[in-house]
Amino acid sequence: MNSLETTKTLASLSDDIATSATHSHEIDTLGYKYASIDVCFEKVAAAGTNSAVALVCKLQHGDTTSSYSDLTGYVGGTSFTIPTPANTSADTVVRFDVDLRGKRRYLRVQATGNATGSVYSVARLGKPEDAPDTASEKGANAAVAG
């Protein structure tokens, strides 16, 4: 079995959110040892080309979905530089690769774009305690393998 077949995918889209609005994506990591999370920002308008693609881009963790704290090493502007778009014709992706061992159960992506636009995040959870078998267990509506 391909190791990618044992992953679980969770996605969240905030479409056309304002500059001051925050995209938030909560992820339950129970039963998994690793996460790879892509935060995708829509290409920026001309007005945003001289600055970072996001005002906020960070990952948080918590024991419950009501209490989160910043995850050290995953806070834009502190732990890493939030990308400045090279041009206005390309989307920007920030990837968080996380070893979940020693982390709290829930992760939350917090992303505020520097211009009005869409923010999308996709989490892929890997190294499960029990491999998912069905599309639903994989976080999908349909799963095809060959």
Side-chain angles (χ1 to χ4, degrees):
M1 176 180 283
N2 181 330
S3 63
L4 290 175
E5 292 178 16
T6 64
T7 62
K8 181 176 183 177
T9 301
L10 303 159
S12 178
L13 168 66
S14 295
D15 194 24
D16 290 327
I17 59 172
T19 301
S20 60
T22 298
H23 166 82
S24 184
H25 181 188
E26 292 183 343
I27 302 157
D28 185 352
T29 66
L30 184 66
Y32 291 87
K33 293 180 184 163
Y34 292 95
S36 185
I37 304 165
D38 289 338
V39 183
C40 310
F41 297 90
E42 180 180 14
K43 52 189 151 230
V44 296
T49 58
N50 294 321
S51 57
V53 71
L55 301 171
V56 174
C57 186
K58 64 183 177 179
L59 193 58
Q60 299 178 311
H61 66 155
D63 294 323
T64 67
T65 57
S66 61
S67 177
Y68 287 96
S69 60
D70 290 350
L71 189 54
T72 302
Y74 298 90
V75 179
T78 302
S79 310
F80 67 94
T81 301
I82 298 174
T84 299
N87 60 58
T88 60
S89 63
D91 298 330
T92 300
V93 177
V94 174
R95 174 167 287 180
F96 296 120
D97 289 322
V98 186
D99 181 344
L100 298 172
R101 295 171 295 178
K103 308 289 188 295
R104 297 179 188 153
R105 175 177 173 176
Y106 296 95
L107 297 179
R108 180 170 67 180
V109 173
Q110 295 277 275
T112 305
N114 200 9
T116 299
S118 298
V119 180
Y120 193 85
S121 55
V122 178
R124 173 90 29 112
L125 303 177
K127 293 233 174 187
E129 291 173 5
D130 295 312
D133 293 321
T134 66
S136 176
E137 290 173 347
K138 294 178 181 189
N141 297 94
V144 181

